[in-house]
Amino acid sequence: MTTFHFEATVIPWRGPAPFFFSPVPQAVAEEISRLSKLLSYGWGMISVDVTIGDGEFYTALLRKDGTYLVPLKDAMRKKVGVTAGDVVSITMTLRPPKS
């Protein structure tokens, strides 16, 4: 399994309900893209385990504008107290697709 550590700003995505994401830095996104054929379970989705502060959760990266976005679940955001504009330190481990 491949693990990355990086800092990213929390961004909002407006819609019928607000969503929050952290964009993956370009260098990390390039490495993930290189590995994507081995990791994607379809539609370019890549499963990851994410840790922010004392919050840990499982999600799937979204491909957008030449990078990937880490979806930030509301329960986790509230637990660690982050919102749009905050800079967060992320530890992210890529998961192989389930067979």
Side-chain angles (χ1 to χ4, degrees):
M1 289 192 282
T2 304
T3 300
F4 298 99
H5 307 281
F6 57 89
E7 290 191 347
T9 301
V10 176
I11 59 171
W13 182 321
R14 301 202 186 275
F19 294 95
F20 296 85
F21 299 88
S22 284
V24 173
Q26 193 60 45
V28 174
E30 288 172 5
E31 182 66 14
I32 294 169
S33 183
R34 189 181 68 74
L35 298 169
S36 66
K37 289 183 182 176
L38 302 171
L39 297 169
S40 176
Y41 62 83
W43 304 291
M45 303 295 285
I46 297 173
S47 299
V48 292
D49 293 310
V50 177
T51 302
I52 298 174
D54 62 354
E56 296 178 16
F57 61 101
Y58 164 80
T59 192
L61 300 177
L62 303 170
R63 185 86 168 138
K64 177 96 170 123
D65 298 331
T67 192
Y68 292 89
L69 299 177
V70 179
L72 303 178
K73 298 179 178 186
D74 283 343
M76 186 284 313
R77 284 188 324 96
K78 292 174 183 172
K79 179 179 180 177
V80 298
V82 299
T83 192
D86 291 348
V87 175
V88 292
S89 180
I90 295 176
T91 299
M92 181 176 73
T93 302
L94 306 179
R95 286 181 155 200
K98 294 180 180 177
S99 28

